[in-house]
Amino acid sequence: MLNTKNSKVTNVEPFLDKTINQISQLLTLYEEGFAKSKTKIIGSLFSEKLTFENNQVRTLESMKE
């Protein structure tokens, strides 16, 4: 149980279970996912916005060079 500012008690176990399951299945989720899912997974790994162009992937920083 987790106490919040409002002294409200929240059960975080379901969220942790779901997150741990998704992380452990990340490769499968990526391999079997559609473009939108793959973009979300890749985007969660990089802090900068990714650009897909001409079969290449770049970040904003690499485009400045």
Side-chain angles (χ1 to χ4, degrees):
M1 299 285 189
L2 177 68
N3 288 323
T4 62
K5 284 185 196 178
N6 300 331
S7 299
K8 190 176 181 181
V9 178
T10 303
N11 185 359
V12 297
E13 265 186 57
F15 300 109
L16 290 175
D17 289 342
K18 181 179 178 182
T19 302
I20 290 168
N21 183 48
Q22 288 178 334
I23 290 171
S24 68
Q25 298 295 319
L26 202 53
L27 180 59
T28 304
L29 290 170
Y30 182 83
E31 289 177 339
E32 295 177 1
F34 293 104
K36 187 174 183 175
S37 297
K38 291 179 180 186
T39 302
K40 283 178 112 176
I41 291 169
I42 293 171
S44 72
L45 301 174
F46 295 93
S47 59
E48 297 102 15
K49 181 179 177 187
L50 296 177
T51 302
F52 297 87
E53 185 178 302
N54 299 325
N55 292 326
Q56 295 181 347
V57 179
R58 295 183 286 189
T59 64
L60 186 58
E61 286 299 315
S62 68
M63 293 170 62
K64 290 180 182 178
E65 297 173 354

